[in-house]
């Protein structure tokens, strides 16, 4: 049984992440999309639970065949310790551009230092998704841009709802502004 984890913040999960996850799921027996709940990045839009639920729903909708091999979970602490706790021997990472390489290189070597039995496997993100990042998605959503093709439908709906909430909260905080 080859168990792999695919860790990330997934705030929110995008079509780029899904592409990596679905392809990784064909290489390993089981893939855990592991939503990191250890620290919040600036500008975070969704709670840990929301990010996990969105990822699960994205996998459940329209990816029949993958759902039995991909599960979504949350973790805190070191990714390698989480992998060990599951008996996973592979950490999957996506590489979008050369600019990702330097970080992934250090990430892989540090993890190798911490847990030499765990292999970091990088998959190239498909070129049509190589410009996507969660923070850009959040920015485009906040400014009312079109997210079609960039995120799963359930994520687009969640982004619209969260943006409407934020705008409503701002209007209430500054009446007449
Ligand atoms: N498609 C679209 N976007 C992608 C992508 C893809 N295939 N691959 C990466 N991205 C985006 C992410 O959404 C993220 O965007 P953001 O910075 O705008 O939010 C960005 O690229 C960076 O991705 P990543 O490097 O995976 O960062 P992350 O914050 O999503 O995840 C962890 C980082 C959680 C995996 C890492 O910090 C970790 O393992 N932490 C646990 C603690 C630990 O073990 N630390 C020691 C590490 S040696």
């Amino acid at each position: 049984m080859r168990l792999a984890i695919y860790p990330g913040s997934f705030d929110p999960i995008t079509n780029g992440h899904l592409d990596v996850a679905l392809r990784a799921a064909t290489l390993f027996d089981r893939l855990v999309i592991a939503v990191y709940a250890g620290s919040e990045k600036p500008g975070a839009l969704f709670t840990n639970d929301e990010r996990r639920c969105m990822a699960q729903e994205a996998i459940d909708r329209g990816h029949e065949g993958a759902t039995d091999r991909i599960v979504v979970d949350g973790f805190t602490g070191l990714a390698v310790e989480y992998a060990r706790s599951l008996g996973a021997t592979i950490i999957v990472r996506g590489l979008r551009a050369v600019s990702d390489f330097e970080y992934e290189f250090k990430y892989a070597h540090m993890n190798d230092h911490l847990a030499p039995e765990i292999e970091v496997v990088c998959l190239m993100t498909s070129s049509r998704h190589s410009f996507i990042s969660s923070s850009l998605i959040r920015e485009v959503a906040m400014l009312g841009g079109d997210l079609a093709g960039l995120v799963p439908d359930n994520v687009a709906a969640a982004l619209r709802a969260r943006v409407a909430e934020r705008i409503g909260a701002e209007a209430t905080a500054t009446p007449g502004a």
Side-chain angles (χ1 to χ4, degrees):
M1 172 78 155
R2 278 178 169 267
L3 177 59
I5 67 165
Y6 177 29
S9 305
F10 303 111
D11 184 32
I13 194 162
T14 69
N15 285 347
H17 294 125
L18 273 181
D19 167 62
V20 169
L22 292 169
R23 283 165 43 223
T26 67
L27 301 175
F28 310 112
D29 298 308
R30 188 164 285 252
L31 180 81
V32 180
I33 296 180
V35 180
Y36 183 54
S39 67
E40 217 168 67
K41 284 186 179 178
L45 210 48
F46 295 104
T47 65
N48 299 324
D49 279 350
E50 288 169 335
R51 288 184 272 136
R52 267 204 318 273
C53 290
M54 278 188 290
Q56 185 67 64
E57 200 180 333
I59 292 297
D60 290 346
R61 287 177 173 214
H63 297 295
E64 295 85 3
T67 44
D68 55 341
R69 268 178 296 121
I70 302 180
V71 294
V72 179
D73 192 21
F75 79 104
T76 53
L78 289 171
V80 288
E81 291 302 340
Y82 172 69
R84 274 177 174 155
S85 74
L86 298 180
T89 51
I90 298 130
I91 295 180
V92 172
R93 302 285 296 162
L95 271 183
R96 291 165 300 170
V98 178
S99 51
D100 283 344
F101 179 78
E102 203 172 329
Y103 177 76
E104 295 307 331
F105 188 77
K106 287 188 274 186
Y107 187 84
H109 282 297
M110 179 56 81
N111 281 329
D112 182 53
H113 172 80
L114 296 169
E117 79 280 13
I118 294 175
E119 201 63 61
V120 174
V121 174
C122 292
L123 298 186
M124 304 300 151
T125 303
S126 81
S127 56
R128 67 185 189 284
H129 297 127
S130 60
F131 60 94
I132 305 176
S133 72
S134 296
S135 48
L136 269 185
I137 292 293
R138 294 195 300 271
E139 185 176 345
V140 171
M142 290 302 285
L143 298 172
D146 184 7
L147 296 170
L150 303 177
V151 293
D153 290 346
N154 66 302
V155 172
L159 281 162
R160 282 194 295 273
R162 183 52 43 91
V163 168
E165 268 171 42
R166 292 271 166 111
I167 291 170
E170 274 169 29
T172 310
T174 52

